[in-house]
Every structure is written in C-alpha cells, then in structure tokens.
C-alpha cells in the first residue's frame, strides 16, 4: 500500500522505556518551505491536558538522501521542519513511555501499550490522509489492536482521528477470539490472574447482544477488549472499535469484584455508540491541540454511567435489589455533596478540562460530578419520559433517535438538541426539567420520579459517628481525596491532597490507618501528622456524632396499571 504517510515504531530495549518512532511523508508540495509536526495535548476519553511532548527527545529530520534538514520547536507541541523544496521527508524521534495507568504510553520488560496521541505526531496537512503503521515488536511479542491489519505487524488507518482511537497492546498477552452474531470479538488479557474465559466470553456476549438490541445497528466490523490486570490497574477508556480497561487481579476472586468488572465492561461498551459515534458538538471533530469545551458530558459520561448498571439488570448480571441499593446510594450522595448546590451539571461538563480531573482541595464541597450526578439525572429523565408517554417511550428511544440524527463527525449535538429530541417523544416541554437539573442546581426530586415506577423512597434519620475522610493509596503514600463538609475530619483540618504519614506517633500504612479509624468510637481522638505542601502539619481527629439520613426503596403495595408498565419497561421484567 503506497500511502503518503507512513509510521514505524520499534522497541529494541523495553527496560529503557523508549519507543523509537519514524514518520515518512511523501508527495509534499514543492513550493512549501516548511512543514509542521504536532503532538496532541490530550487523548480521547480523558478531558485533561497532558504533557506528552515532555517525553520526546532526539528529534531529527532528513530528506530522501538522508541529508539532515533544519528544524525548530515553535511551541510545546509543534516541530517546524524546513524541507528546502523536497517532496519527501522523514522525521524520527524517541519517546519515553512509562505510564500504563493513564492508558497513554507504556513500555517495560513485560509489555508495551500505545495510544497514538501520546506517541505519534501528526502533520496538519495530512491529518485526514490515510496512513500505515509498521510495528517492530520486541523479541517474541505480538500486537493486538483495532487497526486494520494489512501485513505482518503492519496496519492501516483511514485518517489520524481513527488512528488515535485504536490503541495497541504489544507483548505476550493472551488473546481469545469469539463471535457474536457473526462479528469477531477479541478479549486480550495482560497480567497474571485466574479467570474463567468460557464464563467471561459468555458474560461479554450477553452484554454485547443487549447493546446490539438497544441501538439496533453495529458500527464496527470487529471489536477488541484490552484488559490490563495488575495490582494498580483500574478504570477504562472507550475507543471506536475497542476498549482498554484496568482491573485488579483480586476482582476475579469474588462475585462482587467480578460484577464490578462486568459493569466497567458494560460502561465502556455502551460508549461504542454514546460518545464514539454519537458525539457532542464540542468534540466534533476533535482538536488535539487544545481544550475542546463542551457542556454535554453529563449525557456522554453520566448517561453511560446510568446505563452501565441498567444494562446489567437487563442481562441478569445485577439483581434489581442491587440496583435499588445503587439508587439509594445515589440519593445519599446527591443530597450530601455540597458541590451539587454550587456547580450545575452543564458547568461540571464544561469545567472538566480545568477542574474535574485536577481534583482541587475543595472539589467535593464546590463541584458537582458529571459522571455520578449525570447518571442520577438520566435516571429521573428516563422515568419522566416513560410517565409522560404512558410507558410508550423511554430514554432508550431518545438515545436511538439521537444516534440516527447526529451521525459521526457530521454534526455534533448540544444540550438543546438533546432536550428537543426528548420533547419529540413526550410531546410536552422539558425546559423546566433542564433549567432545574442541567443548567441549574435545584436538588433532585427523587421521591416524585421514583413513584412513577411504583417505588417508594423511605428514609430514617440516625445519629452516627461520621469521619468524613476519603483517602486513596498512591504507591506507598496515603493521600486524602476529599473531606466531607462539617464532618469530624473537616473540623480536624484535613485538606484534599494531604499525605498522611503517621497516626498516634507511629508511621502507619493504609490498612493500619483504616483499621484505627474503623475502631474509633464517638468522643475518641487520633492524632495524625500529614505533609501539606512540603510542611508537616498535625491534625487531631475527634470522632463526633452526626445526623444523617439513610434511604431505602420498596415497591408500593397497590401499583397503578401505569406504574406496573413503567416498571416492566424500565427493567425489562414483570412487576
């Protein structure tokens, strides 16, 4: 295949963490004196500015006779090559890659992972041009990717956008192929873990079929699930015909852990349509050189977070009782989080680039969450549509209509577009719903909407000791993620970002700290020392009782015919 744009990557010394990259460009205009090469500043699925360019070194440019060409870096992501009237040039450089957890670029003695945005530069002149990629794997390694294979370790992409949406796993991982309705799917697993591949493929098949039924169309010819199983792994990223997910090995040891893994798969697979095909206007098309602002992430991510659990109920992987518990946890989260009163869902979506992924010290008390609250609002909107239409239509129908009305990269949608399609089904205005819950910060009326499906939300107020300290293990560090306002931890002075190093005069590990906090009784105290901005700070945590509402759901004893029909349509079951 004689393309104008050819990429090559090799990894001769995995322990060095360096990829060697070559890019060949031909049929360049002779009268152009210069050509730009750019490296993206973000990747699909993560609305955050990365520092990819910092990993680039030893950049060189040459002509067909291997004569060196002059070049200069004009900003943090742009290399300008002076091509001296040549119609063909080659650039080469090395990329330091050791970040598997962010699903960008990684290379070590065990395997390699590449997201094109973090490794391969692009020329704006050839952004929409077809390209080929030649991979030279390390000894004995093989390549798994969603890219079209055209030769031994050689691949094709129709343009750079598509290239960035087909990550590569390179190593001695295990690939398992299976078919769903005649379409090839692959599960590619890296890591030492005990799993039942027969059961896993059967469970994946149920999720895949349910999505086929939901959307009505399949937008890919084959699909790849890349699964990283390491002690630090977690989260996932959706791509156009693949996904990359991280899961800890112990997830396969318990039913709860495995269900959580399937929910992650359900989430990322639903994205194959919602955000990889049906895209908000702000990211249609992508511009990888800067932030792409949008106010619809509550639909793209929050809507997907709503359906990832609902799909598992419909496939039988999650019980309705478990889904009830998810709802009541959501009620508690929505009503307790102070940030929900300050930041709207539209603002949370827009500020993803500047706030959400940066996790400021006051994010819990000043920000909402387009993932979680977006899922809550999607649930309420679904019930509103079913109630307004006497169970003829639901949010399922809205997403299908949106998918048909906003084809990939032709035109993206806005919040107004989404509302108008909802109104096409309800026949009534939903402006107040959107004003209250999308652009406004009005508390959600859970009781009203859940009653449409014959569900009663009950609460009891109890006095419980509340620590209000949320931490995470980062390597060997214990870091405070958030602090609940007016909780015991809040009054003790804990801040987001604090690194806990000792409690009661002794160094403590993560498990020991959790154990000490769980053993605390109201009125007792623990003395902590934390690092905060390179300073040692003491925080005395005295556990105090707080009044908190806890919620539960139950069916009404005498449902109306409409409540029964909504319930049945919602869960695809019978009352």
């Amino acid at each position: 295949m004689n393309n104008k744009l050819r990429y090559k990557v090799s990894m001769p010394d995995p322990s060095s963490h360096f990829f060697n990259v070559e890019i060949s460009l031909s049929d360049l205009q002779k009268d152009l004196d210069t050509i730009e090469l750019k490296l993206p500043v973000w990747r699909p699925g993560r609305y955050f500015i990365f520092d990819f360019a910092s990993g680039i070194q030893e950049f060189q440019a040459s002509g067909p006779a291997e004569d060196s060409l002059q070049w200069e870096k004009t900003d943090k992501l742009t290399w300008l090559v002076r091509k001296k009237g040549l119609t063909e040039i080659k650039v080469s450089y090395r990329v330091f890659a050791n970040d598997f957890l962010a699903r960008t670029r990684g290379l070590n003695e065990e395997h390699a992972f590449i997201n094109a945005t973090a490794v391969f530069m692009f020329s704006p002149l050839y952004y929409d041009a077809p390209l080929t990629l030649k991979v030279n794997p390390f000894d004995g390694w093989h390549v798994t990717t969603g890219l079209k294979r055209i030769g031994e370790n050689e691949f094709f992409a129709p343009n750079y956008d598509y290239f960035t949406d087909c990550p590569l796993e390179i190593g001695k991982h295990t690939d398992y192929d299976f078919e769903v309705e005649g379409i090839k799917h692959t599960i590619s697993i890296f890591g030492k873990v005990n799993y039942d591949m027969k059961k896993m493929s059967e469970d994946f098949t149920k999720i895949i079929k349910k999505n086929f039924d939901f959307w009505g169309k399949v937008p890919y010819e084959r699909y790849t699930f890349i699964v990283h199983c390491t002690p630090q792994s977690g989260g996932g990223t959706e791509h156009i015909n693949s996904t990359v997910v991280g899961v800890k090995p112990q997830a396969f040891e318990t039913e709860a852990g495995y269900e959580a893994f399937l929910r992650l798969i359900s989430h990322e697979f639903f994205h194959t349509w919602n955000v990889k095909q049906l895209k908000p206007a702000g990211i249609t098309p992508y511009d990888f050189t800067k932030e792409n602002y949008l106010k619809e992430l509550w639909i793209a991510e929050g809507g997907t977070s709503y359906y990832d659990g609902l799909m598992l109920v419909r496939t039988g992987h999650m019980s309705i009782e478990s889904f009830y518990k998810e709802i009541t946890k959501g009620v508690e989260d929505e009503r307790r989080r102070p940030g929900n009163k300050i930041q709207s869902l539209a603002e949370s979506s827009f500020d993803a680039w500047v706030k959400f992924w940066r996790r400021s010290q006051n994010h819990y008390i000043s920000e909402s969450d387009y993932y979680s609250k977006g899922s809550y609002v999607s649930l309420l909107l679904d019930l509103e549509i079913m109630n307004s239409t006497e169970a003829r239509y639901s949010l399922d129908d809205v997403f299908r209509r949106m998918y048909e009305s906003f084809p990939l990269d032709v035109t993206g949608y806005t919040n107004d577009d989404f509302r108008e399609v909802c109104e096409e089904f309800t026949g009534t205005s939903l402006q107040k719903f959107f004003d209250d819950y999308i652009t406004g910060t009005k508390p959600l009326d859970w009781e009203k909407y859940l009653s449409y499906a014959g569900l009663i939300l009950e609460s009891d107020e109890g006095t419980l000791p509340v620590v209000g300290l949320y931490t995470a293990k980062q390597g060997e560090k214990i870091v405070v993620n958030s602090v609940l306002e007016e909780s015991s931890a809040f009054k003790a002075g804990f801040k987001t970002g604090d690194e806990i190093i000792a409690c009661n005069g002794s160094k403590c590990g993560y498990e020991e700290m959790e154990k000490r906090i769980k053993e605390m009784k109201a009125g007792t105290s623990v003395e902590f020392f934390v690092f905060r901005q390179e300073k040692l700070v003491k925080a005395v945590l005295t556990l105090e009782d707080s009044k908190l509402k806890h919620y539960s759901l139950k069916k009404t004893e005498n449902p109306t015919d409409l409540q029964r029909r909504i319930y049945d349509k919602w869960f695809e079951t019978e009352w």
Side-chain angles (χ1 to χ4, degrees):
M1 188 173 289
N2 186 25
N3 281 326
K4 301 176 183 178
L5 184 57
R6 301 183 302 280
Y7 289 83
K8 184 186 294 184
V9 63
S10 60
M11 54 214 74
D13 181 11
S15 63
S16 72
H17 309 296
F18 274 103
F19 289 118
N20 297 337
V21 176
E22 290 183 8
I23 307 173
S24 299
L25 303 97
S26 58
D27 288 350
L28 299 170
Q29 288 182 247
K30 197 167 186 178
D31 58 350
L32 288 178
D33 294 329
T34 61
I35 186 169
E36 288 183 332
L37 280 299
K38 294 178 178 286
L39 190 70
V41 297
W42 63 282
R43 66 156 174 79
R46 178 66 65 88
Y47 308 101
F48 174 83
I49 298 297
F50 286 91
D51 188 22
F52 294 146
S54 67
I56 304 297
Q57 65 182 56
E58 300 168 59
F59 182 94
Q60 297 179 34
S62 61
E66 300 298 327
D67 48 324
S68 180
L69 300 176
Q70 291 184 340
W71 61 272
E72 64 177 315
K73 198 171 180 182
T74 57
D75 58 38
K76 71 176 183 178
L77 70 147
T78 307
W79 285 256
L80 183 72
V81 177
R82 304 190 184 283
K83 68 182 190 67
K84 301 189 300 188
L86 295 172
T87 59
E88 181 179 343
I89 69 166
K90 181 175 72 175
V91 301
S92 63
Y93 53 88
R94 303 182 77 204
V95 187
F96 184 79
N98 195 27
D99 188 3
F100 292 97
L101 299 185
R103 297 176 290 282
T104 54
R105 59 192 183 200
L107 173 63
N108 60 26
E109 297 89 340
E110 297 183 299
H111 70 137
F113 176 79
I114 294 176
N115 183 298
T117 55
V119 174
F120 300 119
M121 297 180 185
F122 68 90
S123 166
L125 290 176
Y126 281 2
Y127 190 87
D128 294 321
L131 60 94
T132 60
L133 169 67
K134 176 68 176 178
V135 182
N136 292 328
F138 185 64
D139 186 35
W141 290 6
H142 67 279
V143 184
T144 302
T145 178
L147 291 169
K148 181 180 180 181
R149 189 180 295 269
I150 57 173
E152 185 177 1
N153 295 322
E154 192 168 3
F155 306 91
F156 170 81
N159 52 51
Y160 188 79
D161 250 12
Y162 194 92
F163 191 30
T164 66
D165 242 342
C166 295
L168 299 97
E169 176 67 20
I170 309 164
K172 293 185 177 180
H173 50 279
T174 301
D175 289 339
Y176 178 83
D177 296 333
F178 62 105
E179 287 195 357
V180 181
E181 296 185 8
I183 300 173
K184 180 181 175 181
H185 294 74
T186 300
I187 301 174
S188 177
I189 297 185
F190 166 79
K192 297 178 180 178
V193 61
N194 293 319
Y195 56 84
D196 182 340
M197 182 52 72
K198 182 175 183 296
K199 175 175 172 53
M200 191 187 302
S201 61
E202 289 173 352
D203 290 332
F204 279 31
T205 296
K206 291 177 182 177
I207 293 170
I208 292 165
K209 284 185 174 180
K210 184 57 65 176
N211 276 272
F212 285 2
D213 293 342
F214 181 98
W215 293 99
K217 296 179 181 178
V218 182
Y220 58 82
E221 295 180 355
R222 61 187 179 89
Y223 192 92
T224 303
F225 298 90
I226 298 174
V227 183
H228 288 169
C229 296
T230 71
Q232 296 80 32
S233 293
T237 301
E238 67 278 3
H239 293 285
I240 198 159
N241 64 359
S242 62
T243 184
V244 185
V245 300
V247 59
K248 294 176 174 57
Q250 57 265 36
F252 295 92
E253 297 172 3
T254 65
E255 288 186 11
Y258 185 67
E259 183 181 297
F261 169 62
L262 289 182
R263 186 158 188 175
L264 176 60
I265 294 298
S266 177
H267 182 98
E268 301 305 336
F269 193 67
F270 192 85
H271 268 316
T272 307
W273 292 264
N274 188 27
V275 93
K276 298 320 302 181
Q277 298 290 323
L278 172 61
K279 292 167 64 175
I283 53 173
T284 304
Y286 293 139
D287 182 347
F288 287 118
T289 68
K290 62 181 181 180
E291 297 90 342
N292 293 199
Y293 292 103
L294 65 164
K295 297 180 180 179
E296 295 78 24
L297 284 175
W298 72 272
I299 302 169
E301 291 292 352
T304 301
S305 296
Y306 166 54
Y307 275 104
D308 63 28
L310 185 58
M311 285 295 201
L312 292 191
V313 173
R314 293 174 176 177
T315 60
H317 290 107
M318 177 187 287
S319 69
I320 292 178
E321 289 71 27
S322 293
F323 196 71
Y324 286 173
K325 290 180 181 178
E326 291 285 323
I327 293 174
T328 55
K329 285 180 183 177
V331 176
E332 292 170 2
D333 173 61
E334 187 267 329
R335 290 181 173 175
R336 291 176 186 175
R337 181 167 182 154
N340 286 330
K341 300 175 183 177
I342 296 171
Q343 187 186 53
S344 71
L345 273 180
E347 288 177 314
S348 176
S349 300
F350 190 87
D351 288 344
W353 296 95
V354 294
K355 289 185 177 182
F356 183 83
W357 289 104
R358 298 186 183 278
R359 288 294 191 264
S360 65
Q361 290 190 2
N362 66 332
H363 77 275
Y364 187 77
I365 61 176
S366 64
E367 298 174 32
S368 187
D369 183 333
Y370 59 79
Y371 277 94
S372 58
K373 191 178 178 184
S375 72
Y376 311 153
V377 171
S378 296
L379 185 154
L380 269 56
L381 180 58
D382 195 5
L383 292 169
E384 170 63 24
I385 294 168
M386 286 189 280
N387 187 66
S388 297
T389 63
E390 296 185 339
R392 291 193 303 275
Y393 302 111
S394 70
L395 193 59
D396 300 12
D397 299 286
V398 172
F399 270 106
R400 282 190 285 269
R401 179 71 59 82
M402 291 288 294
Y403 175 52
E404 295 168 357
S405 302
F406 296 90
L408 176 63
D409 287 341
V410 175
T411 177
Y413 69 87
T414 65
N415 281 328
D416 284 341
D417 293 323
F418 192 73
R419 174 182 53 78
E420 288 169 4
V421 171
C422 290
E423 291 172 344
E424 288 177 15
F425 288 99
T426 63
T428 58
S429 173
L430 290 170
Q431 188 65 57
K432 187 176 187 307
F433 184 99
F434 276 66
D435 288 346
D436 287 346
Y437 300 143
I438 310 304
T439 57
T441 58
K442 186 175 180 180
L444 305 185
D445 192 347
W446 292 89
E447 288 84 356
K448 170 185 170 182
Y449 293 98
L450 289 168
S451 72
Y452 293 160
L455 298 179
I456 300 171
L457 184 65
E458 297 183 319
S459 66
D460 62 89
E461 188 171 73
T463 300
L464 293 170
V466 178
V467 177
L469 184 67
Y470 302 93
T471 61
K473 190 175 181 181
Q474 297 182 4
E476 297 301 315
K477 296 180 179 180
I478 306 168
V479 179
V480 176
N481 272 349
S482 60
V483 182
L484 187 63
E485 194 173 51
E486 298 306 319
S487 66
S488 302
F490 181 87
K491 293 174 182 177
F494 281 98
K495 306 289 185 186
T496 300
D498 284 352
E499 179 191 344
I500 299 173
I501 59 171
C503 50
N504 282 346
S506 301
K507 182 180 179 180
C508 62
Y510 185 77
E511 290 76 14
E512 183 185 353
M513 184 204 68
E514 277 198 327
K515 181 174 180 291
R516 291 199 181 191
I517 289 178
K518 286 179 180 178
E519 290 174 349
M520 290 181 70
K521 295 183 175 13
T524 60
S525 300
V526 174
E527 182 181 78
F528 288 90
F529 281 94
V530 304
F531 272 131
R532 182 182 302 154
Q533 297 178 344
E534 305 302 321
K535 292 182 180 179
L536 189 63
V537 178
K538 183 171 76 172
V540 179
L541 175 65
T542 301
L543 194 57
E544 298 180 2
D545 284 335
S546 298
K547 288 185 177 180
L548 290 176
K549 280 189 175 182
H550 293 274
Y551 296 88
S552 61
L553 270 181
K554 71 174 186 179
K555 290 181 179 179
T556 182
E557 292 182 1
N558 299 298
T560 65
D561 177 64
L562 179 56
Q563 286 175 323
R564 282 179 178 272
R565 286 189 284 121
I566 289 174
Y567 184 94
D568 294 353
K569 186 178 185 67
W570 189 16
F571 295 125
E572 295 185 355
T573 187
E574 293 184 1
W575 178 276

